[in-house]
Amino acid sequence: MWPFLVRFECILFLASAFSVITHLSQGLSPRINQSHLIPSYLKNRKSGLKVEGSNFTLGGFPFLIIAGTIHYFRVPKEYWRDRLLKMKAGGFNTLITAFITTASEVGLWVILCPGPYIGSDLDLGGLPSWLLKDPKMKLRTTYKGFIKAVNLYFDHLISRLLPLQYNWGGPIIAMQVENEYGSYYLDKKYMPYVKKALEKRKVEVLLMTADSGRVLGKGRIKNVLVTLHMKNIHKGTYKELSSIQGHSPIMMMVYTVNSFDSWGVARHIPDGHMLLKDVREMLKLRFSLNFYMFHGGTNFGFMGGAQHLNGYYPVVTSYEYGALLRENGDYTPEYTTFQEVFRSVIAAPMPLPLNYIPKNAYKSVTLLYFMTLWNLLPYLDLPTKSVKPLTMEQLSVNEGSGQSYGYTLYETAISSDGILTSKGHVQDRGQVFLDDKHVGILDHSKDELTIQIHDHQEYHILRILVENQGRLSSGKSMNQQRKGLTGDIYLNNSPLRKFTIYSLEMKSVFIKRKLPQIWKPITEKVKGPAFFLGYLKISGDPRDTFIQLEGWNKGVVFINGQNLGCYWSIGPQETLYLPGPWLHTGTNEIILFEELESGIEVGFKMESHLGY
């Protein structure tokens, strides 16, 4: 809901900027000539992106930033150049985040957001989960354990980026110091520390911060340009900005009228007319701006995070986000509209738009074989034995760094039935089994189940298969985002003890090499959790397609070992994007991990269906 409220509020207060920044448009022609301000043309690199009064300049010339965000990790590598060429052809001159070398080749400048925290609706905002092995961890502060990790990260990263800076002949014209820290603000020393860490490693380009209006002052750093997020712009924002840094160019670092979609919640549909009205207003005021997102892409694997707004909301697999390009790179009607708007404001060479990438609706595949999770357990790596439950992050896997994503199976013996309670310690969704029989679900909204034993066996195995559905990507509760069983589970108010714990991270190496040849033919619908195997045969060159899993319930899809992401029948998303480069001519292996009950076929569509 907030994107729509924010948009309405911003429209009211964009106009209030006139009284504060009318000087912005003085002396500027209606159409700015930036035809010479592209990486391959600009050979004199003595003067990079600078603040000159109320304008940006680049190479000493006035420069209006028209930027868009693309996350390289949400786009198949084979399509990076395609997406960037489409950005350039759309009238954009700057990329936010990565693809640095390719961006320069196609004529785009780069504003880099190196982190360490980037947000972006990722699991833990892009921070590694192993940080949470430390029970005292304080993310995004000057806590010793976090700063040690930050310095190690910067030592590896920044040295590689130095030659790509503007003054060294590269496309990087600015860097963002962290991201939206004003809304977090647990340590006033943190942002100055990150700035100093970048400068100490010889980062020379213009530094920026980015915050929403209501916390603008908290996220700022002395002598660093303050930029705005559209979220929570209010009447006093521009006056506050002026009081902080005087007459300066206004950069709307995150302009968005949308939000990510969540499982079980109606899809967010942006209002293109309102978007266009806002952008025209900003360009009239000579705001620089960044579209979040120009191209959203896909939460392949388990990268998606979650949000907590009066409840826990995990991100769906698609990250289309109301962007100007669809999830698979197709143009939206809005793309052409904004292309014309930008061309009316800026004169610069733009390549012709690329053709659509071909797609195919392949013939449906009937899955032929299955193995239950219980059949697989003897073939897995040795489980962890523990008196008490351990979180994913505490498991001694991945060379001691713990488990990041996927599922964790907890087993313990019980001798009586009764009431099983989690007290909020199942993070995020736990399927409960008595031996092999499904009993029910424990999750964020349900923390109690009745366990009934109908025979006279002395012991039964209680199993809890816990799925990490995504750590929070923002907010002050990030330090508590440990997954799996995060505390005791109780049977009749007594804590259960002596657990056997299996890590089911489901990396590509697991799917490709660890699944044993114990597949059984499918003769009827199979109760999960189980793996299912089938084959897609392709003649000719492989093409993009969309998988539809009608009749299936909840799980994960792997194609030739690549994790396409999660599906869930509760919607809103109904298809998964399958990039053509992940297929090959001949036989392609499809493996599904279905948690509940199998369907029969895997269907293929020409277009995505992202829901209600």
Side-chain angles (χ1 to χ4, degrees), residues 43-112:
K43 302 300 183 183
N44 183 352
R45 296 298 185 95
K46 291 182 180 179
S47 180
L49 185 69
K50 294 186 180 298
V51 172
E52 300 286 350
S54 59
N55 300 315
F56 285 118
T57 61
L58 185 65
F61 300 96
F63 186 63
L64 189 67
I65 300 170
I66 305 296
T69 299
I70 306 176
H71 296 141
Y72 71 91
F73 41 81
R74 286 184 165 119
V75 181
K77 186 175 183 179
E78 295 86 349
Y79 287 152
W80 288 358
R81 180 175 291 273
D82 171 86
R83 307 307 193 251
L84 292 177
L85 284 170
K86 288 173 177 173
M87 173 181 278
K88 179 67 176 177
F92 293 79
N93 56 33
T94 304
L95 169 72
I96 306 292
T97 61
F99 312 102
I100 300 170
T101 303
T102 309
S104 179
E105 291 171 357
V106 304
L108 291 166
W109 299 105
V110 173
I111 296 176
L112 195 69

Side-chain angles (χ1 to χ4, degrees), residues 56 107 200 230 235 390 448 473:
F56 285 118
K200 184 173 73 173
M230 199 70 169
K235 189 172 183 178
L390 299 175
E448 185 175 292
S473 59

